[in-house]
Amino acid sequence: MHYSKLKISADATSKLRSLRQRTGLTPNLLCRVALMLSLEEGRIGDGVSPDEEGSEFNAYTLTGEYGGLFAALLRWVEEGPSPEEPMDNGTLLTRLRAHIHRGVGTLSVRAKSPSDVLRLVPAS
């Protein structure tokens, strides 16, 4: 999955502002947590994709050094372990935006404080 910039939805951007005030975490970190929450919920599929009217992130800012890992997890959830035909880059980016959108919605309900975000991370 190749991209240099990714725009998220206006709704997710608004919720990220609120989450940042409540948790003190930056939007890129919140997006990473949101993406993982959404991937845990399962496949997005071919539903309606969110708008691109919100914040724009550089690829490295959004995923850091873990871009390859996030891409592999996205492919695993969306395509399954042995896809007949791999998804094209555009479809994967649309699904990435959709997962961030869904995850931010979930996170905005579940995280009212920094400690709530910590509770989402499994103890090792």
Side-chain angles (χ1 to χ4, degrees):
M1 181 172 65
H2 301 288
Y3 65 100
S4 59
K5 295 182 183 213
L6 183 79
K7 288 189 89 166
I8 63 171
S9 68
D11 183 49
T13 299
S14 174
K15 288 178 181 174
L16 282 172
R17 278 191 209 108
S18 176
L19 281 164
R20 183 177 188 165
Q21 291 173 343
R22 292 188 302 213
T23 65
L25 296 173
T26 60
N28 61 315
L29 293 177
L30 291 166
C31 281
R32 292 177 195 185
V33 172
L35 176 57
M36 296 307 294
L37 282 174
S38 181
L39 289 173
E40 189 174 54
E41 288 180 37
R43 193 170 184 271
I44 288 277
D46 294 327
V48 177
S49 61
D51 65 71
E52 295 181 49
E53 304 298 320
S55 296
E56 182 176 75
F57 291 92
N58 289 322
Y60 192 80
T61 301
L62 184 61
T63 59
E65 61 193 63
Y66 304 107
L69 176 63
F70 284 116
L73 290 170
L74 177 64
R75 279 191 181 278
W76 179 265
V77 169
E78 290 297 323
E79 295 178 336
S82 54
E84 292 176 19
E85 192 173 314
M87 288 182 190
D88 64 82
N89 196 56
T91 303
L92 280 172
L93 289 175
T94 299
R95 303 267 175 104
L96 175 62
R97 269 194 302 281
H99 274 288
I100 290 172
H101 180 81
R102 179 171 77 177
V104 167
T106 301
L107 191 58
S108 70
V109 172
R110 295 172 71 181
K112 303 298 180 196
S113 69
S115 61
D116 292 337
V117 177
L118 284 175
R119 284 189 204 107
L120 296 172
V121 179
S124 54

